[in-house]
Amino acid sequence: MTVEERRQQLIGVALELFARRSPDEVSIDEIASAAGISRPLVYHYFPGKLSLYEAALKRAAEDLADRFREPHEGPLGARLLRVMRRYFDFVDDHGPGFSALMRGGPAVGSSTANALIDSVRQAAYVQILSHLRIEEPPARLELVVRSWISLAESTALLWLDGRRVPRAELEVQLVQDFAALVAVAAAHDGPTAALLKPLLRDEPGDGPFADLVTRLVSLAA
Amino acid sequence: MTVEERRQQLIGVALELFARRSPDEVSIDEIASAAGISRPLVYHYFPGKLSLYEAALKRAAEDLADRFREPHEGPLGARLLRVMRRYFDFVDDHGPGFSALMRGGPAVGSSTANALIDSVRQAAYVQILSHLRIEEPPARLELVVRSWISLAESTALLWLDGRRVPRAELEVQLVQDFAALVAVAAAHDGPTAALLKPLLRDEPGDGPFADLVTRLVSLAA
């Protein structure tokens, strides 16, 4: 293997271990053993556990950011639902690693880790704005999009702790939460309402947004 | 001053400095000078900056948790709005210290800091459940209450970065966000809906929940 191939192999092995146990609990010895190489050789490719952890984090962050990319075709609700499915696939696949990172894992507080987490949030934000066809959002809309991204993060983290709600239902609920939070902001802010109204015209009767309205009307009755 | 009085004074001085600049940027020298004592004397009361920071954090966490306490009287929406006002008073008063803590300040990753942050979240959660008169919430309701708490945190943090939206409007919006997120959960979950319906009967026509419904109906028209 070339140096780069070996590094990529070790990152892959580390991510697999972090998906089953918190990075705090995974030793360099285990990573070496799972990769079939000696401990000193791991240190040849990564000077310490933090650097391997950060490299793994970088690959995971790129993977996660990729999942927000969605073609600009079809109704918005359905697009967001596909993104949520890929997001929960990631969370499901990386459970302990994802939790450790967001709750304060080995690299938290390191500027590399914080920058990577922020880059994923920013990728999600930019993608959502592009689907809303908005370049310069009003302050309130920026706030609602960014705070919904953090709601999706915290919902995923809480879900991982026990998985007591079927994830498919949470995926739909998060899409509907987005609509609900945007509706609250639009109810207070003319510019936000004006930007969003045209987007809703294309929503089909069987999409997640219409489903929410139907459910709420039936709940109120 | 007694040892305890001096410790409390230093904590107060530190919190005032952290309210204007990030704890990372505040030196022990500055804290000593603001308290009118020598640097070595500060170390007599706190072995290092981390221990002073953690003590300040503890006092701030207790202060914040206290603000969630609200008498069990009157409509729910108005109670939650009073809590949100006190919450934003705190955020407003502790700006840089609050941001540093939540974004990864000096003590992040320290188990003391994480435990204090979790204790505040837990205090908020317990208070909200008691106002909803629910002891054992269904999984979905627990998720929605906890994820709304994190939404309130992230909204406050985003607001601090530029303060581009009047905070009074965000306080109302967060109360309405709570209603909206609970409504989405109730729309999917019979037990959640059954628990919440009786609570809404006492909401007056001029409360924040009714205001949201009025605004949404007018927006849809």
Side-chain angles (χ1 to χ4, degrees), chain A residues 108 140 142-143 146-147 150-151 154 158 164 169-170 173 176-177 181 184 187-188 193 197 215 219, chain B residues 108 140 142-143 146-147 150-151 154 158 164 169-170 173 176-177 181 184 187-188 193 197 215 219:
Chain A
V108 157
R140 227 164 300 230
E142 173 173 350
L143 195 68
R146 290 195 190 275
S147 64
S150 110
L151 181 81
S154 61
L158 290 162
R164 289 182 299 145
E169 292 182 29
L170 286 186
Q173 274 190 50
Q176 297 180 337
D177 287 344
L181 296 175
V184 172
H188 284 268
K197 269 192 179 175
R215 283 172 186 270
L219 195 65
Chain B
V108 156
R140 227 163 300 229
E142 174 173 351
L143 194 68
R146 291 194 190 275
S147 63
S150 109
L151 181 80
S154 60
L158 290 163
R164 291 183 297 145
E169 291 180 30
L170 286 186
Q173 275 190 49
Q176 297 180 337
D177 287 345
L181 296 174
V184 171
H188 285 269
K197 270 193 177 173
R215 284 172 186 270
L219 195 65

Side-chain angles (χ1 to χ4, degrees), chain B residues 65 68 115-129 142 145-146 149 153:
Chain B
F68 298 122
L116 284 170
I117 295 173
D118 280 345
S119 75
V120 173
R121 289 177 183 151
Q122 184 62 16
Y125 175 71
V126 168
Q127 277 297 310
I128 291 171
L129 282 195
E142 174 173 351
V145 173
R146 291 194 190 275
I149 291 167
E153 272 177 31

